[in-house]
Amino acid sequence: MKVLVVAAHPDDEVLGCGATAARLAEEGQDVHFAILGEGITSRHGQGSDADENQMASLHQHAHAAAEKVGAKSLELYNLPDNRLDTVPLLEVVKIVEDLIERLRPEIIYTHHAGDLNVDHGVVHRAVLTATRPVTGQTVREIYAFEVPSSTEWAFQQLQPSFRPNVFVDVARTLELKIAAMECYKSEARKFPHPRSPEALRALAVRWGSVVGCAAAEAFELVRSIRLQAD
Ligand SMILES: [Zn+2]
């Protein structure tokens, strides 16, 4: 099985499904990460050295995190941070279409549509558009993940709200997710921030308790198609 994770910002891939990705990789599946946004807001003017340095170190962190969870590949794009809604949707869709054409994944994990962060909603929509279920489409299943400090911070005021119905037991790989987050030094947050290690563990324990295991990541099934073999 080939699995593609499509995220808006560096660290969303880990926050959303890092422990599940680590589990899938351990089980021998090919997990590919794609991060569409550059992940920093230009603060020093276009192409400045300060921005370039910040970007380079963020890319290093992303590669270290991908390695930590056993991802087979990581592709980084540079769509503008927190302004994905200013990019023509077609441009975002083309990136995802190109990824699907080259990697031919059967399963995609991506953002939930109702997150507070606008970029997350754009990526969700781009994935849905790029995976239209025409004949020959390789993608059979799409799952939406939650990103702590974005999904729950919509306070169910943005539609749709996150309604998880797929739970993955990650008791054995949760610490790889925590370690992968620690690779993102610039994104580190202290407890009780939702992205702190303590809060990430608490969230996983909470979802685990809902479904009878020690720790879980929660997803919302967007689509599942089971074709019959010829
Ligand atoms: Zn994000």
Side-chain angles (χ1 to χ4, degrees), residues 8-9 12 111 117 120:
H9 313 111
D12 286 337
H111 288 283
N117 189 292
H120 294 183

Side-chain angles (χ1 to χ4, degrees), residues 178-198:
I178 305 296
M181 268 314 285
E182 278 164 6
C183 296
Y184 281 110
K185 296 178 181 73
S186 51
E187 312 298 310
R189 300 287 186 275
K190 284 199 165 61
F191 183 79
H193 194 283
R195 295 172 174 229
S196 63
E198 295 90 335

